[in-house]
């Protein structure tokens, strides 16, 4: 019962927090997800726009492999978490190359267990017994 009270208190604290943008979950990384990027924005201009908050270690715009055109979103990585938090607060909703961009913490990538086999093509023929 005490554990349930603790969970409900944590949930209440999260929901009733006065500024949800200031409430960060444990494990906040220094990588940000940026969406609604203009198709004319380059990785260099993205890095430059975010560099006023700290050291940008990587700025990556995701591109369509067939048309080699921006998909309109990307990632910006910072050297330190606090720099990423400041950039998240200040750049969310700001204009970059004529479009309002939206910034969120990047979700951790899903790493699949390397032991798990993945089917790639037809099964190999069974050996003659």
């Amino acid at each position: 019962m005490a554990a349930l009270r603790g969970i409900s208190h944590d949930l209440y604290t999260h929901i009733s927090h006065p500024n949800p943008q200031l409430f960060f979950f444990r494990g906040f990384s220094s990588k940000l997800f940026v969406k609604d990027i203009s198709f004319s924005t380059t990785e260099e201009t993205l890095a430059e726009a975010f560099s006023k908050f700290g050291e940008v270690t990587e700025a990556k715009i995701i591109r369509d492999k067939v048309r080699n055109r921006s998909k309109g979103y990307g990632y910006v990585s910072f050297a330190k978490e606090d720099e990423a938090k400041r950039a998240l607060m200040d750049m969310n909703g700001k204009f970059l190359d004529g479009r309002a961009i939206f910034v969120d913490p990047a979700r951790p990538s899903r790493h699949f267990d390397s032991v798990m086999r993945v089917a790639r093509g037809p099964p190999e023929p069974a050996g003659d017994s």
Side-chain angles (χ1 to χ4, degrees), residues 34-102:
V34 185
K35 61 184 175 182
D36 290 341
I37 297 173
S38 169
F39 295 120
S40 64
T41 301
T42 64
E43 291 178 350
E44 292 77 24
T45 57
L46 185 63
E48 184 181 321
F50 280 83
S51 66
K52 63 183 177 183
F53 302 102
E55 180 186 347
V56 173
T57 57
E58 181 185 30
K60 179 85 174 151
I61 294 178
I62 307 304
R63 305 187 77 71
D64 183 310
K65 292 178 184 175
V66 175
R67 293 187 286 166
N68 196 29
R69 187 177 100 164
S70 167
K71 287 188 171 185
Y73 68 92
Y75 298 90
V76 177
S77 298
F78 285 89
K80 298 178 183 171
E81 269 187 41
D82 62 321
E83 297 169 346
K85 288 178 183 178
R86 279 197 319 265
L88 172 69
M89 301 297 243
D90 290 351
M91 289 298 289
N92 193 26
K94 294 291 193 296
F95 281 87
L96 178 64
D97 291 337
R99 291 190 69 172
I101 59 170
F102 298 95

Side-chain angles (χ1 to χ4, degrees), residues 12-34:
Y12 174 77
T13 303
H14 172 68
I15 293 171
S16 65
H17 198 275
N19 187 350
Q21 284 188 326
L22 292 176
F23 186 82
F24 291 101
F25 294 101
R26 187 179 72 192
F28 182 85
S29 76
S30 58
K31 191 172 190 177
L32 300 175
F33 174 72
V34 185

